[in-house]
Amino acid sequence: MFRRLRRVRFNPNIRTLVSENNIHTQDLIYPLFVTYGENIKNTIESMPDVFQLSLDNILRECETLEALGINAIMLFGIPRIKDSIGSEALSEEGIIPQAVRSIKSKFPHLLICVDLCFCEYTDHGHCGILNPKLQSVDNDLTLEILNQQALILAQSGADLIAPSGMMDGMIESLREVLDSKGFSHIPLMSYSTKFASGYYGPFRDIAQSTPAFGDRRSYQQNPANRREAILESLEDEKQGADILMVKPALAYLDIVRDIRERTLLPLAVYNVSGEYAMLKFAQKAGIIDYERVLLETMVSFKRAGADIVITYHAKEIANLLRRIL
């Protein structure tokens, strides 16, 4: 007798009962972009429904997120001044330390993740200090300023630090400094396998972080390389990362699965701006069943092995799950 697999699909309650992967609001981290000023809500054409927000509007957004059951945010800053070393990121009065302190004072139970990088803060748009001879980022000099930035963010009250620059040795360096300064309890969620991807375009619009010259291929991961991608994450695990990450998500689900099968650490994916924009513009064009495709995409991340999803869709997903459940 052949096996009748359809039996467990016929009744919708049984389908739910045997569902292997599900998306929940507690799996989600919502990115927010903080800028100076008051009552600022700048629209970005390439990122529908995502805004540059002044701190007063960030606080209003956090209130909405808590009401939706979204418990985690990731902060990105839009500085006033950019220079060759991203010095505003090294100031206790920079936009992100200010935002962390304000959010913590009003929403103490909200998990605040902070992106740790310099691309938004440098006038050249690269992720650290440039080596003029190489016309690329000086890895070890950049580690020194990453350590300074991490300490400021930890002192400001950040709950989780997410280094994204793909510098060699950054996790070990950050862990040593944080531990030595009394922040051994702060976890590091490393952008451990971050590809030099074309999917980042809308993010660079909203974060104002497009490189002034060249690209980031000398430090971000080659999209063609599977073995190297696995090695990058396993090396960060060895150095002390608490959570690993694959970025982008949708085009790299094979890498998510590869890493999942080799680590017991929590694994995040970043559902990046280009992936978000494609779905939003497909929705606008009326060519997909948007809500169905959105949930299908989220479940694909979980099925591949992700525990955490960083996504601009978080509010939509929370509202959708409320209707479904």
Side-chain angles (χ1 to χ4, degrees):
M1 179 183 294
F2 60 86
R3 186 180 300 276
R4 292 189 178 272
L5 294 172
R6 289 182 58 193
R7 276 196 286 254
V8 295
R9 301 177 197 146
F10 182 73
N11 185 300
N13 289 328
I14 297 177
R15 286 200 301 272
T16 300
L17 190 66
V18 301
S19 177
E20 297 175 26
N21 295 281
N22 298 283
I23 191 76
H24 306 285
T25 53
Q26 58 263 37
D27 303 329
L28 307 176
I29 299 176
Y30 186 56
L32 289 169
F33 297 87
V34 194
T35 191
Y36 288 100
E38 293 183 7
N39 199 30
I40 304 297
K41 189 175 183 179
N42 295 328
T43 60
I44 305 298
E45 187 176 348
S46 59
M47 290 281 280
D49 304 321
V50 178
F51 307 94
Q52 295 174 345
L53 299 171
S54 53
L55 188 49
D56 53 338
N57 280 328
I58 287 285
L59 294 175
R60 294 185 186 99
E61 190 77 339
C62 289
E63 187 174 2
T64 298
L65 294 171
E66 277 204 337
L68 288 171
I70 297 168
N71 302 316
I73 59 173
M74 178 172 281
L75 296 178
F76 297 88
I78 314 297
R80 280 199 179 107
I81 299 171
K82 300 189 180 196
D83 59 26
S84 62
I85 64 167
S87 57
E88 186 170 320
L90 305 175
S91 169
E92 294 178 3
E93 297 307 315
I95 186 66
I96 294 300
Q98 285 188 45
V100 172
R101 291 191 294 266
S102 294
I103 294 168
K104 270 295 168 193
S105 69
K106 293 185 177 296
F107 303 96
H109 302 298
L110 191 65
L111 179 73
I112 302 179
C113 313
V114 287
D115 180 78
L116 181 68
C117 194
F118 283 91
C119 59
E120 300 111 293
Y121 300 92
T122 55
D123 52 13
H124 47 72
H126 284 279
C127 298
I129 295 177
L130 288 181
N131 181 322
K133 292 182 180 179
L134 299 177
Q135 286 292 288
S136 186
V137 173
D138 187 305
N139 192 94
D140 294 353
L141 288 178
T142 298
L143 294 184
E144 294 179 15
I145 60 172
L146 282 173
N147 291 342
Q148 294 176 48
Q149 186 186 19
L151 278 176
I152 289 168
L153 294 170
Q155 290 163 353
S156 299
D159 298 300
L160 188 153
I161 294 176
S164 63
M166 287 293 286
M167 296 296 111
D168 291 339
M170 68 180 181
I171 298 302
E172 181 176 330
S173 180
L174 290 166
R175 192 72 273 161
E176 288 177 358
V177 168
L178 289 170
D179 290 358
S180 70
K181 298 297 184 180
F183 296 104
S184 60
H185 62 288
I186 300 291
L188 294 174
M189 179 170 67
S190 176
Y191 288 63
S192 52
T193 298
K194 180 180 178 180
F195 291 91
S197 171
Y199 282 93
Y200 303 148
F203 174 91
R204 293 175 181 175
D205 293 338
I206 194 167
Q208 299 173 357
S209 63
T210 302
F213 65 90
D215 54 45
R216 297 177 180 143
R217 297 184 193 189
S218 68
Y219 45 101
Q220 293 180 355
Q221 165 73 43
N222 184 346
N225 289 1
R226 172 177 174 261
R227 296 190 302 272
E228 184 184 1
I230 298 167
L231 184 62
E232 284 279 9
S233 278
L234 296 184
E235 176 60 27
D236 279 9
E237 177 175 7
K238 187 189 301 182
Q239 291 181 27
D242 300 285
I243 302 170
L244 303 177
M245 188 196 302
V246 176
K247 179 183 179 181
L250 196 55
Y252 297 94
L253 294 182
D254 58 324
I255 305 300
V256 178
R257 172 50 56 187
D258 284 334
I259 295 170
R260 174 76 287 157
E261 291 176 349
R262 290 164 173 82
T263 183
L264 297 177
L265 289 181
L267 181 58
V269 293
Y270 200 137
N271 177 214
V272 298
S273 60
E275 300 167 18
Y276 170 82
M278 287 192 300
L279 283 193
K280 295 298 288 186
F281 285 111
Q283 176 193 28
K284 185 177 180 180
I287 58 175
I288 59 170
D289 182 337
Y290 176 76
E291 292 182 347
R292 182 176 179 180
V293 170
L294 175 56
L295 287 183
E296 189 175 336
T297 300
M298 295 299 128
V299 169
S300 76
F301 301 151
K302 298 296 293 291
R303 189 181 65 246
D307 304 294
I308 300 162
V309 181
I310 305 165
T311 179
Y312 306 99
H313 293 288
K315 290 193 297 182
E316 294 175 286
I317 295 165
N319 279 311
L320 185 54
L321 291 177
R322 284 186 167 192
R323 293 210 320 265
I324 294 173
L325 300 176

